[in-house]
Amino acid sequence: MSRHIQVTFDAHDPAALSSFWGEALGYVIPGPPGVDLPEGADPLAAWDEFLARIGVPEDQRNTRSALEDPDGNGPRVFFQQVPEGKVAKNRVHLDVRVSPGLQGEERMAALEAECARLVALGAARVQRHEPAPPLGSGHIVMTDPEGNEFCLD
């Protein structure tokens, strides 16, 4: 029997990092328990209001955040605040699949377009790897706003 997984990121700023990854993955920040968010409402603002209402001190309101796949298929992504910084290459990273079924220059153009979009959101481009058939189809290595490495694949 397969298991459901949650991907967890250590972060300095869980709200900002979850906002970046929500945009990168097409995921959403769920609303607080018992709160129905109207269309277009800011879920982070709703969480801040909810946490204030239940008495969570302001300095503890950005200690965690989460994302969910709006289609219910992908894993939940959780962000937890940690005091230490990232000191080495992450041992696990995400491959963000943005060009399924594409090959060659068409594939690389799709990766470049997504790279540009994510750089505008705070990511950094690290390196482009050209297609090397038969096994390598090309990818772009990037880092998120807190330096976590990931690939556009």
Side-chain angles (χ1 to χ4, degrees):
M1 176 178 183
S2 67
R3 308 249 189 235
H4 292 276
I5 66 164
Q6 170 175 280
V7 177
T8 300
F9 282 80
D10 290 346
H12 282 292
D13 186 346
L17 201 55
S18 68
S19 293
F20 169 81
W21 279 106
E23 290 291 329
L25 300 175
Y27 274 38
V28 296
I29 297 170
V35 175
D36 288 322
L37 292 179
E39 184 73 29
D42 179 358
L44 291 174
W47 271 104
D48 197 48
E49 291 169 15
F50 173 81
L51 294 171
R53 189 169 59 250
I54 64 170
V56 174
E58 189 171 348
D59 67 339
Q60 295 178 24
R61 293 183 199 156
N62 188 23
T63 60
R64 55 190 53 91
S65 187
L67 295 172
E68 295 176 350
D69 176 355
D71 299 326
N73 298 320
R76 182 176 190 261
V77 183
F78 182 72
F79 301 84
Q80 62 187 4
Q81 191 175 56
V82 296
E84 68 274 2
K86 183 178 173 304
V87 295
K89 182 178 189 262
N90 41 311
R91 299 284 305 257
V92 175
H93 70 262
L94 302 181
D95 288 338
V96 181
R97 301 270 162 117
V98 298
S99 59
L102 301 179
Q103 296 180 7
E105 285 307 311
E106 186 180 21
R107 172 186 170 78
M108 296 311 290
L111 295 180
E112 288 291 352
E114 183 64 1
C115 178
R117 185 180 81 84
L118 296 178
V119 165
L121 294 171
R125 178 192 184 104
V126 176
Q127 186 176 19
R128 175 178 161 145
H129 292 265
E130 297 297 327
L135 298 178
S137 54
H139 63 280
I140 298 175
V141 180
M142 301 188 73
T143 58
D144 72 13
E146 291 197 10
N148 299 301
E149 187 174 289
F150 67 98
C151 292
L152 297 180
D153 180 11

PDB file of all heavy atoms in Angstrom, residues 6 33 43-44 47 64 68 75 83 91 103 109 116 131-132 151:
ATOM      1  N   GLN A   6       4.195  14.278   3.011  1.00  0.00           N
ATOM      2  CA  GLN A   6       4.238  15.727   3.145  1.00  0.00           C
ATOM      3  C   GLN A   6       5.695  16.117   2.939  1.00  0.00           C
ATOM      4  O   GLN A   6       6.583  15.489   3.503  1.00  0.00           O
ATOM      5  CB  GLN A   6       3.761  16.145   4.531  1.00  0.00           C
ATOM      6  CG  GLN A   6       4.002  17.621   4.824  1.00  0.00           C
ATOM      7  CD  GLN A   6       3.421  18.034   6.147  1.00  0.00           C
ATOM      8  OE1 GLN A   6       2.219  18.263   6.231  1.00  0.00           O
ATOM      9  NE2 GLN A   6       4.239  18.135   7.172  1.00  0.00           N
ATOM     10  N   PRO A  33      -8.786  26.844  10.140  1.00  0.00           N
ATOM     11  CA  PRO A  33      -9.917  25.970  10.470  1.00  0.00           C
ATOM     12  C   PRO A  33     -11.196  26.770  10.711  1.00  0.00           C
ATOM     13  O   PRO A  33     -11.181  27.778  11.420  1.00  0.00           O
ATOM     14  CB  PRO A  33      -9.473  25.286  11.776  1.00  0.00           C
ATOM     15  CG  PRO A  33      -8.004  25.492  11.873  1.00  0.00           C
ATOM     16  CD  PRO A  33      -7.673  26.710  11.073  1.00  0.00           C
ATOM     17  N   PRO A  43      -5.050  34.417   1.975  1.00  0.00           N
ATOM     18  CA  PRO A  43      -5.063  33.408   3.044  1.00  0.00           C
ATOM     19  C   PRO A  43      -4.078  33.725   4.167  1.00  0.00           C
ATOM     20  O   PRO A  43      -4.345  33.399   5.327  1.00  0.00           O
ATOM     21  CB  PRO A  43      -4.699  32.113   2.329  1.00  0.00           C
ATOM     22  CG  PRO A  43      -4.046  32.530   1.057  1.00  0.00           C
ATOM     23  CD  PRO A  43      -4.601  33.869   0.703  1.00  0.00           C
ATOM     24  N   LEU A  44      -2.951  34.374   3.857  1.00  0.00           N
ATOM     25  CA  LEU A  44      -2.001  34.720   4.915  1.00  0.00           C
ATOM     26  C   LEU A  44      -2.600  35.761   5.868  1.00  0.00           C
ATOM     27  O   LEU A  44      -2.415  35.675   7.085  1.00  0.00           O
ATOM     28  CB  LEU A  44      -0.682  35.212   4.326  1.00  0.00           C
ATOM     29  CG  LEU A  44       0.150  34.133   3.616  1.00  0.00           C
ATOM     30  CD1 LEU A  44       1.368  34.752   2.948  1.00  0.00           C
ATOM     31  CD2 LEU A  44       0.555  33.020   4.577  1.00  0.00           C
ATOM     32  N   TRP A  47      -5.028  33.936   8.081  1.00  0.00           N
ATOM     33  CA  TRP A  47      -4.313  33.213   9.139  1.00  0.00           C
ATOM     34  C   TRP A  47      -3.863  34.172  10.232  1.00  0.00           C
ATOM     35  O   TRP A  47      -3.972  33.865  11.419  1.00  0.00           O
ATOM     36  CB  TRP A  47      -3.116  32.455   8.569  1.00  0.00           C
ATOM     37  CG  TRP A  47      -3.483  31.082   8.116  1.00  0.00           C
ATOM     38  CD1 TRP A  47      -3.663  30.657   6.835  1.00  0.00           C
ATOM     39  CD2 TRP A  47      -3.722  29.945   8.949  1.00  0.00           C
ATOM     40  NE1 TRP A  47      -4.010  29.323   6.819  1.00  0.00           N
ATOM     41  CE2 TRP A  47      -4.052  28.867   8.107  1.00  0.00           C
ATOM     42  CE3 TRP A  47      -3.701  29.749  10.324  1.00  0.00           C
ATOM     43  CZ2 TRP A  47      -4.351  27.596   8.599  1.00  0.00           C
ATOM     44  CZ3 TRP A  47      -3.994  28.474  10.825  1.00  0.00           C
ATOM     45  CH2 TRP A  47      -4.322  27.411   9.958  1.00  0.00           C
ATOM     46  N   ARG A  64       5.043  28.816  11.002  1.00  0.00           N
ATOM     47  CA  ARG A  64       4.703  27.705  10.104  1.00  0.00           C
ATOM     48  C   ARG A  64       3.719  28.180   9.047  1.00  0.00           C
ATOM     49  O   ARG A  64       3.002  29.152   9.234  1.00  0.00           O
ATOM     50  CB  ARG A  64       4.148  26.519  10.877  1.00  0.00           C
ATOM     51  CG  ARG A  64       2.964  26.854  11.747  1.00  0.00           C
ATOM     52  CD  ARG A  64       2.556  25.747  12.705  1.00  0.00           C
ATOM     53  NE  ARG A  64       3.623  25.249  13.547  1.00  0.00           N
ATOM     54  CZ  ARG A  64       3.918  25.719  14.757  1.00  0.00           C
ATOM     55  NH1 ARG A  64       3.210  26.694  15.271  1.00  0.00           N
ATOM     56  NH2 ARG A  64       4.887  25.203  15.457  1.00  0.00           N
ATOM     57  N   GLU A  68      -1.317  23.324  -0.223  1.00  0.00           N
ATOM     58  CA  GLU A  68      -2.023  22.136  -0.675  1.00  0.00           C
ATOM     59  C   GLU A  68      -2.247  22.213  -2.171  1.00  0.00           C
ATOM     60  O   GLU A  68      -2.418  23.298  -2.733  1.00  0.00           O
ATOM     61  CB  GLU A  68      -3.371  22.016   0.041  1.00  0.00           C
ATOM     62  CG  GLU A  68      -3.232  21.800   1.525  1.00  0.00           C
ATOM     63  CD  GLU A  68      -4.570  21.778   2.260  1.00  0.00           C
ATOM     64  OE1 GLU A  68      -5.608  22.125   1.646  1.00  0.00           O
ATOM     65  OE2 GLU A  68      -4.564  21.420   3.446  1.00  0.00           O
ATOM     66  N   PRO A  75       1.391  16.087  -2.910  1.00  0.00           N
ATOM     67  CA  PRO A  75       1.609  16.101  -1.458  1.00  0.00           C
ATOM     68  C   PRO A  75       1.410  17.486  -0.862  1.00  0.00           C
ATOM     69  O   PRO A  75       1.552  18.500  -1.543  1.00  0.00           O
ATOM     70  CB  PRO A  75       3.074  15.669  -1.323  1.00  0.00           C
ATOM     71  CG  PRO A  75       3.706  16.092  -2.598  1.00  0.00           C
ATOM     72  CD  PRO A  75       2.636  15.929  -3.652  1.00  0.00           C
ATOM     73  N   PRO A  83      15.828  28.401  13.512  1.00  0.00           N
ATOM     74  CA  PRO A  83      16.745  29.523  13.752  1.00  0.00           C
ATOM     75  C   PRO A  83      18.022  29.466  12.919  1.00  0.00           C
ATOM     76  O   PRO A  83      18.601  30.497  12.601  1.00  0.00           O
ATOM     77  CB  PRO A  83      17.073  29.392  15.240  1.00  0.00           C
ATOM     78  CG  PRO A  83      16.877  27.944  15.549  1.00  0.00           C
ATOM     79  CD  PRO A  83      15.766  27.473  14.630  1.00  0.00           C
ATOM     80  N   ARG A  91      20.114  17.782   0.629  1.00  0.00           N
ATOM     81  CA  ARG A  91      20.271  16.396   0.210  1.00  0.00           C
ATOM     82  C   ARG A  91      19.059  15.896  -0.571  1.00  0.00           C
ATOM     83  O   ARG A  91      19.132  14.883  -1.243  1.00  0.00           O
ATOM     84  CB  ARG A  91      20.500  15.505   1.435  1.00  0.00           C
ATOM     85  CG  ARG A  91      21.742  15.848   2.237  1.00  0.00           C
ATOM     86  CD  ARG A  91      23.017  15.378   1.566  1.00  0.00           C
ATOM     87  NE  ARG A  91      23.007  13.981   1.271  1.00  0.00           N
ATOM     88  CZ  ARG A  91      23.632  13.053   1.955  1.00  0.00           C
ATOM     89  NH1 ARG A  91      24.346  13.371   2.995  1.00  0.00           N
ATOM     90  NH2 ARG A  91      23.559  11.785   1.592  1.00  0.00           N
ATOM     91  N   GLN A 103      10.403  18.217 -26.098  1.00  0.00           N
ATOM     92  CA  GLN A 103      11.785  17.784 -26.315  1.00  0.00           C
ATOM     93  C   GLN A 103      12.579  18.884 -26.987  1.00  0.00           C
ATOM     94  O   GLN A 103      12.019  19.792 -27.610  1.00  0.00           O
ATOM     95  CB  GLN A 103      11.819  16.537 -27.194  1.00  0.00           C
ATOM     96  CG  GLN A 103      11.171  15.333 -26.558  1.00  0.00           C
ATOM     97  CD  GLN A 103      11.228  14.117 -27.465  1.00  0.00           C
ATOM     98  OE1 GLN A 103      11.854  14.133 -28.524  1.00  0.00           O
ATOM     99  NE2 GLN A 103      10.570  13.053 -27.057  1.00  0.00           N
ATOM    100  N   ALA A 109      12.943  25.978 -24.212  1.00  0.00           N
ATOM    101  CA  ALA A 109      12.259  27.276 -24.231  1.00  0.00           C
ATOM    102  C   ALA A 109      11.201  27.337 -23.125  1.00  0.00           C
ATOM    103  O   ALA A 109      11.042  28.370 -22.456  1.00  0.00           O
ATOM    104  CB  ALA A 109      11.620  27.524 -25.594  1.00  0.00           C
ATOM    105  N   ALA A 116      12.426  32.341 -15.935  1.00  0.00           N
ATOM    106  CA  ALA A 116      12.262  33.802 -15.882  1.00  0.00           C
ATOM    107  C   ALA A 116      11.124  34.189 -14.931  1.00  0.00           C
ATOM    108  O   ALA A 116      11.245  35.139 -14.151  1.00  0.00           O
ATOM    109  CB  ALA A 116      12.012  34.359 -17.277  1.00  0.00           C
ATOM    110  N   PRO A 131      20.299  19.451 -23.291  1.00  0.00           N
ATOM    111  CA  PRO A 131      19.910  18.072 -23.582  1.00  0.00           C
ATOM    112  C   PRO A 131      21.129  17.261 -24.035  1.00  0.00           C
ATOM    113  O   PRO A 131      21.969  17.758 -24.790  1.00  0.00           O
ATOM    114  CB  PRO A 131      18.893  18.213 -24.722  1.00  0.00           C
ATOM    115  CG  PRO A 131      18.357  19.603 -24.587  1.00  0.00           C
ATOM    116  CD  PRO A 131      19.503  20.421 -24.069  1.00  0.00           C
ATOM    117  N   ALA A 132      21.205  16.016 -23.525  1.00  0.00           N
ATOM    118  CA  ALA A 132      22.286  15.106 -23.894  1.00  0.00           C
ATOM    119  C   ALA A 132      21.684  13.722 -24.118  1.00  0.00           C
ATOM    120  O   ALA A 132      21.759  12.854 -23.249  1.00  0.00           O
ATOM    121  CB  ALA A 132      23.349  15.075 -22.812  1.00  0.00           C
ATOM    122  N   CYS A 151      15.211  21.910  -9.332  1.00  0.00           N
ATOM    123  CA  CYS A 151      15.434  21.875 -10.781  1.00  0.00           C
ATOM    124  C   CYS A 151      14.126  22.068 -11.530  1.00  0.00           C
ATOM    125  O   CYS A 151      13.081  21.573 -11.106  1.00  0.00           O
ATOM    126  CB  CYS A 151      16.036  20.542 -11.218  1.00  0.00           C
ATOM    127  SG  CYS A 151      17.709  20.279 -10.635  1.00  0.00           S
TER     128      CYS A 151
END
